[in-house]
Amino acid sequence: MALKEYELQTIYQAIRSQNKDTPIQVFGSHTHIRNFVKYDSKAAGLQSGRYLETIGWASINGVKNNSQFGAADEVSFHRRYIDNNILGYRYHTGLSASEFPTEHGKNTTSFIAKARESLNLDHKYGCVPRDLYYTYSSYPKNDSITTWTLDELLPGIVKTKLQRAKTPTFLMLKSVVMRSDLLKGPFTRDSAFIFVPYEQNLAFIRNVPYKAAMEISKRGSWDLKIFDEKPLNRTTNKNNQLQSRELGTDSVHRNSQLFEKQKSLIASKPLTLVRGYTTNDDGGSDGDDTLHSPLGRFAFPPPILSSVVGLPSKGEPEYVDLFFNKPLTSMMLILLNNMGLKFDTSNVKDHSDELIRDIISQWVKENWAGEC
C-alpha cells in the first residue's frame, strides 16, 4: 500500500486524533519504490523497494522509555535503503569475506542449491541476445521489453500456436503479466518464473468483429481505465465487482510520479557506477546506502500489449479470433457488450492448460537458441 494513499492516511489521522504526541512509524508496500514520507513532525512512513531487492532500515530518536510513554519534544526519523547483497551485509556487520559465513548460513545455502537442482531451475531454454528493459526503455527502442513483445514475441506466438488457417488472429496481454527486465545471457527455468510469476493461461473468443477488436487494441495501448470498465447498464453483481477490483489499475502505475523521484545524485560526474536507485524523498537524497548511476526515466509499457497476424493484403477482415490472458475475460466481455455485441462466458474457451510462462519459454527455445 502506498504511503500517501487514503487507507494509510485514514489510519494515521485516527491514531493522531487520539494520541497527539505519540511517534508513528508506518511501513508501506506493494508500489515497488523506495520512498520516505513525513506525515508530521512525529510521524513518518517508509517503503523499501520491490522483490526483496532492498532492505529498509528505520530508526527513531527521541522516544521515551516504557515508564514514560510518549516522546520527547523533538523526535527525529532516519532511514536507509540497503541493497540486498552480501557486500552490503559485510559492510554493515564489519565482517570480512571469511568471517561473514556461519554454519547455519552455509547449510541454508546448501539447502537452496539442492532445491534449485531438484526443481531444475538452471535448465536453459536459450540466450537473451541483448538487455531488454521493462520500464527503463520504451517503444520503439531496441532495448525495450515492449518493442520485443510487440514486434517479435506476440506475432511469433500467434503464428506458431494460435492462428487457424486463413483466420486473422489478435493476441492481447495485460502488460503486467511480465514483471522484470531480461538481461543478456541465459534464459533459464528460473528466469521464466521471475519474468512471468503468474499461473495464467490463454482464453479466446471466436468470430469477434475486427473493428471491435481493433478498438480494444487501440484503447488498451494508452487507457489505464480500461481495466475499470463497467457495463453500460450499470447492473453488476458481487462477482463482477470483485473481478473489476482484481483487474484494477496496478499501483505501480498510480505512483508513476513517485518513480520519477528516483533521480541521479551524481549527474555532474562520469557514470562509472552500477545502475540502481538514486532516491530523493521527504528525507532528502541521502537515503541510498550505495551510490548508483541513475536508472533513467521510467516508461511504463502500455496497459495492454497486442498483436494481430493474418490480415488480408487488401481491405479489412470481418471477423477475427481474439486471444487474451484469462484474467481479462470479464473486461473483454464488458468492452464487447458495451459496443452493442452479444458475448457471454459461453463464448469464451480455454486455449489449453499451457501457461503463458511456458509459451514464452518455448518461444525462447525456438528463437534464442545457442550458447551464451
Side-chain angles (χ1 to χ4, degrees), residues 13-31:
Q13 291 168 3
I15 295 173
R16 182 57 78 229
S17 68
Q18 300 297 316
N19 302 275
K20 294 184 178 180
D21 293 317
T22 301
I24 302 172
Q25 174 66 63
V26 175
F27 293 100
S29 62
H30 191 61
T31 51

Side-chain angles (χ1 to χ4, degrees), residues 264-297:
S264 174
L265 297 175
I266 54 166
S268 61
K269 298 181 180 180
L271 298 181
T272 57
L273 304 175
V274 175
R275 293 179 75 186
Y277 284 117
T278 49
T279 310
N280 182 24
D281 54 29
D282 284 359
S285 58
D286 61 350
D288 294 308
D289 193 58
T290 301
L291 289 177
H292 301 111
S293 63
L295 291 168
R297 183 177 177 83

